[in-house]
């Protein structure tokens, strides 16, 4: 059962892995990169021991493959396909180590019939690396248990360390293997578990040091990302039901039933269970149990449970080896028929014209959309000048994909820094003051442009695919990240912030309900969204219909402690108002105060500033605001002292 050389017993595993690789290789470049894959390509251009939102292995693998094939779709995915092929090789060897030739065939056949594995060789994702490395670790551990060779114990630990560098959920299969490692220590001596643990820590050690040096912020950020805005659904039970429904889809009902049947038979059997078979059961149950517990408190993506797939294949292989041949054939026919049905349903949903399947269902399927969008953005990027940034106001997928197709990986920034976009925010910090092309799905109306840029040109609408609309604009003077817009403002005074918001936007003090809304928005990091909703409210439109831009700018400045702003300041506020709207101007001025935490009741109620003493009576000051439609001159005339002139 050892992996030395290429023995006749190992040749089937090699042939299966080679066939898997050769079948998937010509298909790698057929589909454009997804947003996540493009983001991992950005990782490859910023190599490090870790990232704010992911461990580093996916970036290393993509960097290795693109160094050979260049920045192409095939180049991004090739390295992950190589690792996935090694995982298939290990899966065949795992089945043979567990139960011989029949178990070997059962393990790999079950793997290929589970829908969760069908994208295994087509996409560059940490979950693919994780599943492949876990399969290798399981095969090495079972082989070490059977042979007692220390090299396999050390190899298993090193592979689990690499799996941790792919995704933090690798701790689940590692925990499942602990009883087997302990049993191996009793059987072969305690040198075996020592080698297992030492190799794992040595492999993952540099990343753990990096993680500790960053205050565990990346790990905490992952928890915050996946728990954001999902708690309300959790207590209604939606998260749990969604998890169960998606898992029934990606595993398929028949495959899920086979796994549950295998677990039931294992529990009901009266004979003592072998430790390596128990490890397969734990490797299947622990990930599902962990995600099941987490699902009420945050979303669980369907493919996360792929970490349990190698152990489930080993468990099913042992289970099917003990079934009568007639039942075994019946299960294989059921799994095969279900796989064909899923493939036909997928073809009906995704087929037909771009953006619409044969069944008439709207789907996010538009071949060539990213290339067409890149062709429309290229002139805007050239117009923005050399070294211009590529920015997005919504998420990270759009800007990561366009960075790939436009070839500007070093100059990308996401202006709504939550989730993976936080990493883009960090990378773009040195590029302040540069021009940028801002692109986002849908509209830019809600986004507070003045917070991030000094000036933006009128936006353009782009429709690269049927039913898909993007908005792009050339902006000048990137000001840097403003994470306070999207993060909870724990140090802010809700009463001071509410007073400024309501006086600036509605011209009145806040009512009790408004005060509660502002306090809730500060706790959730939703102040920008609240301000946008106020500007769109019927009360705002009724109160300030027909108001001039100068009057709007003066009102907002006064609410933030500048009731007597000079003409230059007022003209600049009118310019910001022209491309950012009232909500953008308010948030820009709030950003200049240091965010919500910089507002105090004293700032809110600042007294009018006295006029400059050196100006003669009756003098006037003026400034010009440059707007897209022309210029506006803002003049402040000072009345001489004495009684006011009579009005006729």
């Amino acid at each position: 059962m050892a992996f030395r050389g290429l023995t006749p017993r190992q040749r089937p595993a090699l042939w299966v892995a080679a066939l898997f690789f050769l079948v998937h290789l010509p298909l790698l470049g057929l589909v454009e990169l997804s947003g996540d894959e493009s983001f991992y390509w950005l990782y490859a251009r910023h190599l490090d021991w870790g990232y704010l939102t992911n461990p580093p292995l996916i970036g290393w693998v993509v960097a290795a493959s693109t160094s050979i094939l260049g920045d192409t779709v095939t180049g991004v995915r090739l390295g992950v396909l190589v690792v996935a092929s090694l995982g298939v090789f290990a899966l065949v060897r795992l089945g043979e180590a567990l139960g011989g030739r029949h178990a070997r065939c059962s393990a790999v056949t079950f793997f290929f019939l589970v829908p969760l594995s069908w994208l295994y060789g087509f996409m560059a994702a940490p979950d693919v690396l994780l599943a492949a490395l876990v399969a290798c670790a399981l095969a090495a551990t079972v082989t070490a248990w059977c042979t007692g060779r220390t090299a396999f114990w050390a190899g298993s630990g090193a592979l689990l360390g690499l799996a941790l560098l792919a995704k933090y959920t690798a701790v689940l299969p590692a925990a499942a293997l602990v009883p087997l490692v302990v049993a191996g220590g009793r059987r072969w001596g305690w040198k075996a578990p020592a080698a297992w643990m030492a190799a794992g820590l040595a492999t993952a050690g540099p990343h753990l040091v990096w993680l500790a040096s960053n205050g565990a912020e990346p790990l905490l950020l992952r928890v915050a990302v996946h728990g954001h805005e999902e708690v309300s659904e959790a207590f209604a039970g939606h998260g749990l039901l969604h998890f169960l429904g998606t898992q029934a889809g990606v595993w398929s009902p028949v495959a899920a039933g086979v796994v549950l049947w295998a677990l039931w038979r294992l529990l009901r059997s009266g004979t003592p269970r072998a430790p390596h078979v128990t490890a397969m059961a734990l490797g299947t149950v622990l990930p599902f149990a962990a995600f099941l517990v987490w699902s009420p408190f945050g979303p669980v993506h369907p493919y996360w449970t792929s970490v349990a797939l190698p152990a489930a294949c080993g468990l099913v292989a042992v289970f099917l080896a003990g079934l009568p041949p007639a039942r075994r054939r019946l299960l294989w026919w059921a799994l095969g028929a279900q796989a064909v049905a899923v493939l036909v349903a997928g073809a009906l949903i995704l087929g037909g014209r771009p953006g619409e399947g044969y069944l008439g269902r709207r789907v996010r399927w538009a071949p060539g959309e990213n290339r067409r969008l890149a062709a429309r953005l290229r002139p805007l990027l050239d117009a923005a000048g050399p070294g211009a940034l590529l920015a997005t106001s919504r998420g990270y997928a759009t800007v990561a994909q366009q960075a790939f197709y436009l070839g500007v990986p070093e100059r990308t920034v996401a202006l709504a820094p939550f989730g993976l976009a936080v990493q883009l925010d960090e990378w773009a910090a040195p590029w302040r003051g540069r021009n940028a092309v801002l692109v986002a799905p849908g509209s830019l109306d809600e986004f507070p442009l003045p917070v991030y840029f000094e000036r933006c040109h009128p936006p353009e609408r782009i429709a690269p695919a049927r039913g898909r609309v993007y908005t792009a604009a050339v902006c000048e003077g990137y000001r840097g990240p403003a994470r306070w817009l999207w993060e909870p403002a724990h140090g802010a005074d809700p009463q001071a912030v509410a007073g400024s918001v309501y006086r600036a936007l509605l011209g009145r003090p806040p009512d009790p309900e408004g005060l509660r809304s502002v306090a809730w928005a500060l706790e959730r990091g939703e102040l920008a969204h609240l301000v946008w909703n106020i500007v769109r409210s019927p009360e705002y439109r009724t109160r300030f219909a027909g108001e001039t831009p100068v009057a709007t700018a003066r009102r907002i400045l006064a609410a933030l402690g500048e009731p007597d702003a000079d003409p230059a300041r007022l003209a600049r506020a009118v310019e910001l108002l022209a491309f950012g709207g009232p909500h953008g101007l308010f948030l820009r001025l709030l950003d200049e105060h240091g965010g919500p935490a910089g507002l105090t009741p004293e700032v809110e109620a600042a007294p009018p500033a006295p006029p400059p003493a050196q100006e003669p009576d009756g003098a006037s000051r003026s400034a010009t605001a440059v707007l897209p439609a022309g210029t506006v001159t803002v003049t402040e005339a000072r009345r001489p002292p004495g009684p006011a002139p009579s009005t006729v």
Side-chain angles (χ1 to χ4, degrees):
M1 295 182 187
F3 288 173
R4 291 174 297 178
L6 188 61
T7 65
R9 302 183 66 181
Q10 295 170 346
R11 286 173 186 163
L14 181 64
W15 280 112
V16 172
L19 182 63
F20 175 85
F21 178 83
L22 293 175
V23 167
H24 286 79
L25 181 61
L27 305 177
L28 292 181
L30 292 183
V31 181
E32 293 181 338
L33 291 184
S34 66
D36 285 346
E37 290 177 299
S38 304
F39 200 85
Y40 303 142
W41 171 73
L42 292 177
Y43 282 172
R45 305 302 293 264
H46 301 82
L47 292 179
D48 202 345
W49 281 108
Y51 304 97
L52 289 179
T53 48
N54 276 103
L57 186 61
I58 182 65
W60 298 350
V61 172
V62 173
S65 59
T66 53
S67 66
I68 299 173
L69 296 181
D71 293 328
T72 61
V73 175
T74 301
V76 171
R77 292 172 173 158
L78 179 63
V80 179
L81 175 60
V82 172
V83 178
S85 302
L86 294 176
V88 172
F89 176 87
L91 197 62
V92 179
R93 296 292 297 139
L94 173 64
E96 183 176 344
L98 288 171
R101 182 171 60 88
H102 291 295
R104 173 183 69 195
C105 296
S106 298
V108 72
T109 305
F110 181 79
F111 171 80
F112 286 125
L113 290 179
V114 174
L116 184 62
S117 68
W118 291 350
L119 296 178
Y120 197 69
F122 292 102
M123 60 184 299
D127 297 272
V128 177
L129 298 177
L130 175 63
L133 291 169
V134 167
C136 294
L138 291 177
T141 308
V142 173
T143 303
W145 161 261
C146 297
T147 63
R149 296 183 59 188
T150 305
F152 282 105
W153 290 112
S156 170
L159 288 166
L160 287 173
L162 285 175
L164 187 67
L165 296 182
K167 207 163 184 180
Y168 295 126
T169 49
V171 298
L172 299 173
L177 286 176
V178 168
L180 181 59
V181 174
V182 173
R186 293 173 180 171
R187 182 179 183 182
W188 301 104
W190 293 104
K191 183 179 179 181
W196 181 80
M197 184 173 295
L201 291 177
T203 306
H207 175 67
L208 296 178
V209 172
W210 178 90
L211 195 65
S213 65
N214 284 272
E217 181 184 358
L219 196 57
L220 297 175
L221 181 63
R222 295 298 291 180
V223 175
V225 167
H226 297 302
H228 187 62
E229 294 184 347
E230 297 291 337
V231 177
S232 60
E233 289 189 353
F235 293 104
H238 295 173
L240 179 61
L241 294 177
H242 182 265
F243 170 72
L244 295 175
T246 55
Q247 293 311 305
V250 298
W251 282 79
S252 78
V254 176
V258 171
V259 173
L260 292 175
W261 190 7
L263 289 171
W264 176 254
R265 287 284 298 270
L266 185 65
L267 291 175
R268 290 292 302 271
S269 63
T271 58
R273 294 178 291 274
H276 53 288
V277 177
T278 304
M280 297 302 107
L282 288 176
T284 305
V285 171
L286 274 183
F288 275 99
F291 295 135
L292 190 68
V293 171
W294 171 251
S295 61
F297 305 100
V300 177
H301 294 284
Y303 48 81
W304 283 3
T305 54
S306 60
V307 66
L309 185 57
C313 292
L315 178 66
V316 169
V318 175
F319 164 67
L320 292 179
L323 283 183
R327 289 188 180 182
R328 195 184 310 153
R329 284 193 296 269
L330 180 62
L331 283 178
W332 288 132
W333 277 108
L335 284 169
Q338 180 182 250
V340 172
V342 172
L343 286 173
V344 172
L348 291 175
I349 292 174
L350 296 179
R353 294 174 295 180
E356 184 174 327
Y358 287 119
L359 299 182
R361 178 182 174 184
R362 304 294 298 176
V363 294
R364 293 176 59 87
W365 174 250
E369 174 185 351
N370 290 314
R371 290 185 175 88
R372 289 191 291 270
L373 179 59
R376 295 289 301 275
L377 292 178
R378 174 63 68 182
L380 296 179
L381 200 62
D382 295 338
L389 304 176
L390 183 65
T392 185
S393 65
R394 201 166 301 159
Y396 63 92
T398 299
V399 74
Q401 289 170 322
Q402 293 311 306
F404 177 81
Y405 289 103
L406 290 170
V408 288
E410 291 83 9
R411 307 195 308 271
T412 54
V413 57
L415 305 181
F418 194 79
L420 295 177
V422 176
Q423 186 68 70
L424 292 179
D425 222 24
E426 296 291 326
W427 288 337
W431 303 106
R432 298 187 184 189
R434 297 220 177 181
N435 296 344
V437 173
L438 180 62
V439 58
S443 171
L444 292 173
D445 294 341
E446 180 180 353
F447 195 73
L449 296 174
V451 176
Y452 293 97
F453 298 103
E454 297 296 344
R455 181 175 286 103
C456 286
H457 297 267
E460 298 182 15
R461 295 179 68 81
I462 302 173
R466 185 171 180 264
R468 302 291 298 277
V469 177
Y470 293 83
T471 302
V474 176
C475 298
E476 301 175 8
Y478 173 59
R479 301 181 67 242
R483 292 177 63 173
W484 65 266
L485 277 175
W486 319 104
E487 294 181 346
H490 298 297
D493 182 352
Q495 189 170 0
V497 176
S500 297
V501 168
Y502 274 77
R503 286 188 174 88
L505 300 177
L506 295 178
R508 63 173 177 85
D511 50 24
E513 183 179 355
L515 183 59
R516 288 193 297 270
S517 298
V518 171
W520 179 89
L522 291 173
E523 292 177 0
R524 301 277 294 178
E526 297 282 351
L527 183 62
H529 189 62
L530 175 66
V531 169
W532 168 247
N533 286 334
I534 291 176
V535 170
R536 291 193 307 164
S537 66
E539 180 183 356
Y540 182 89
R541 291 195 296 266
T542 302
R543 280 176 175 266
F544 304 110
E547 186 181 44
T548 64
V550 175
T552 302
R554 195 185 300 276
R555 168 168 49 84
I556 296 176
L557 283 167
L560 287 169
E562 300 182 59
D564 291 328
D566 58 66
R569 176 69 165 165
L570 191 58
R572 180 59 182 147
V574 171
E575 291 178 352
L576 297 173
L577 181 68
F579 72 87
H583 66 294
L585 173 60
F586 173 79
L587 293 173
R588 166 64 178 265
L589 298 177
L590 187 59
D591 183 60
E592 293 177 358
H593 278 286
L599 284 181
T600 63
E602 290 74 17
V603 171
E604 174 196 342
Q614 68 273 17
E615 290 191 3
D617 294 338
S620 63
R621 294 182 296 170
S622 64
T624 301
V626 180
L627 308 180
T631 59
V632 173
T633 301
V634 179
T635 304
E636 179 187 36
R638 295 192 177 274
R639 180 176 54 84
S646 60
T647 303
V648 179

